[in-house]
Amino acid sequence: MEEAQVRELIDAAIGDGRHEFGSFFLSRFFGMTVSYEDDACIVSLDVRPYMFNPQGSLHGGVLATALDISMGHLIKHQFGAGATLEMKVQYFAPIRSGNVVCRANFLKKGRKTFFLQSSAQDSSGEAIAHATSTWRLL
């Protein structure tokens, strides 16, 4: 990646400095879009080479971040800000190009503690990862 391209990515991520749900540095840096559908939150991103691990596929940390954001935005959208208490990610397949879509929904809603899951699929609909998490309202 050329220096000009890196500078472009960073400038776009910095943007106007907003740090809010739906638009904050990491989501802008990775080009994520956030939307809501019924009782779900959908986060999508296009896989780009700067997101790769040394093996040439999407880095697991980037994918875990997208899964976490989908669950965090869902709880914020329906109940208010929360914090991840724990999260488990299972990776099924590498992805090297195309679009990734993470869809989060609730497993169980409590008064202050919530259990969520998010599944990631590639553009052909193949499952590439799944996460479960426990959240606490702030």
Side-chain angles (χ1 to χ4, degrees):
M1 180 174 275
E2 294 179 23
E3 186 176 333
Q5 290 173 310
V6 172
R7 185 76 242 165
E8 223 174 271
L9 282 171
I10 292 171
D11 288 344
I14 291 171
D16 59 10
R18 287 179 299 139
H19 194 72
E20 58 194 31
F21 280 86
S23 181
F24 61 102
F25 181 83
L26 279 178
S27 65
R28 290 188 300 263
F29 185 72
F30 292 125
M32 296 178 186
T33 60
V34 178
S35 61
Y36 302 94
E37 194 176 278
D38 299 325
D39 207 22
C41 177
I42 297 96
V43 170
S44 62
L45 68 131
D46 288 322
V47 175
R48 313 241 173 182
Y50 77 91
M51 301 174 188
F52 286 0
N53 59 30
Q55 290 79 29
S57 61
L58 182 64
H59 190 284
V62 175
L63 188 49
T65 298
L67 291 160
D68 185 57
I69 288 172
S70 69
M71 293 181 283
H73 278 52
L74 179 58
I75 198 166
K76 165 70 168 148
H77 183 69
Q78 291 199 8
F79 295 98
T84 311
L85 297 178
E86 63 83 29
M87 184 169 107
K88 176 187 177 189
V89 180
Q90 294 174 291
Y91 300 97
F92 307 137
I95 182 165
R96 293 178 173 84
S97 64
N99 189 261
V100 172
V101 176
C102 300
R103 182 183 188 87
N105 54 50
F106 291 97
L107 292 169
K108 182 169 179 20
K109 301 174 189 177
R111 284 180 288 153
K112 294 212 179 224
T113 305
F114 297 81
F115 301 89
L116 293 97
Q117 66 179 353
S118 184
S119 295
Q121 295 182 325
D122 65 14
S123 51
S124 71
E126 180 183 351
I128 57 171
H130 184 262
T132 55
S133 65
T134 307
W135 288 73
R136 178 124 178 122
L137 286 182
L138 295 177

